[in-house]
Structures are given as C-alpha cells and as structure tokens.
Amino acid sequence: MKTIKHPKSENYFELKKEFPEFSYPTDEQFANLKNGDVIKIGVSGETFWLEVKRLYKNKIIARVDNDLVRSDIHDLFFNDIVSIHKHNIRTIKHY
C-alpha cells in the first residue's frame, strides 16, 4: 500500500464558526458518509476532491481524485493516499 500522507488541511468547522454564511457539510451528510463518496478539502490555498477509502471514528483515509496545480507547495499528487479529519471536509458528494 502507498504511504499515507498527512496534509495540513484547512479547518472548515472553525471557518464556519467565524463566518456563519460559509457552507459546511451537515451532521446528516457526515452521518451518511461512506466508502466511495467524494469529499473536497483545501490545502495551501488549493481545493480538490478525494475519494473516501476508509472511515474511522476520528479520521478518514482517502485518495486524491484529481490532478493538482500546487503540488510543488503541498507535495500532494493525483492518487496519493491521505489521512484527514472530519473538520477538514468542505463538501461531500454521496454516491
């Protein structure tokens, strides 16, 4: 298995507290999150999609699902495996 990377992702939960108009996934969306769903996170000013591979109580293992523009800054690339937390998720698409 590939090495799991741990990017310094944006904390969208805290951003939502500071800016209530900011869109953040609902508790229902989080409760329905499953393997195969697609989530969006942000790292170093770039937002991008991840495919959920495994869900744990306090973390999510996912695969980078698109080509990235700022790989030279954050060292993440298409198909990398990352570990993130729920508060790092900006958007959820259920499949």
Side-chain angles (χ1 to χ4, degrees), residues 6-46:
H6 302 272
K8 184 168 174 35
S9 305
E10 300 291 338
N11 184 331
Y12 291 107
F13 180 76
E14 290 299 321
L15 190 62
K16 175 69 174 172
K17 287 200 283 188
E18 189 174 343
F19 301 99
E21 69 280 2
F22 184 79
S23 176
Y24 182 73
T26 64
D27 290 340
E28 181 180 355
Q29 286 176 302
F30 280 118
N32 292 321
L33 189 62
K34 63 187 181 312
N35 293 347
D37 284 346
V38 179
I39 56 179
K40 184 179 272 189
I41 68 167
V43 178
S44 300
E46 180 173 14

Side-chain angles (χ1 to χ4, degrees), residues 9-14 24-31 33 39-41 55-61 83-92:
S9 305
E10 300 291 338
N11 184 331
Y12 291 107
F13 180 76
E14 290 299 321
Y24 182 73
T26 64
D27 290 340
E28 181 180 355
Q29 286 176 302
F30 280 118
L33 189 62
I39 56 179
K40 184 179 272 189
I41 68 167
L55 295 166
Y56 297 95
K57 183 177 181 178
N58 294 316
K59 68 179 176 179
I60 299 163
I61 305 298
S83 174
I84 62 163
H85 297 277
K86 183 167 81 170
H87 62 259
N88 300 124
I89 297 173
R90 178 177 181 163
T91 307
I92 297 173

Side-chain angles (χ1 to χ4, degrees), residues 1 34-37 50-55 60-63 81:
M1 180 174 210
K34 63 187 181 312
N35 293 347
D37 284 346
L50 304 173
E51 178 189 1
V52 175
K53 297 308 238 174
R54 288 203 173 89
L55 295 166
I60 299 163
I61 305 298
R63 179 187 61 82
I81 303 298

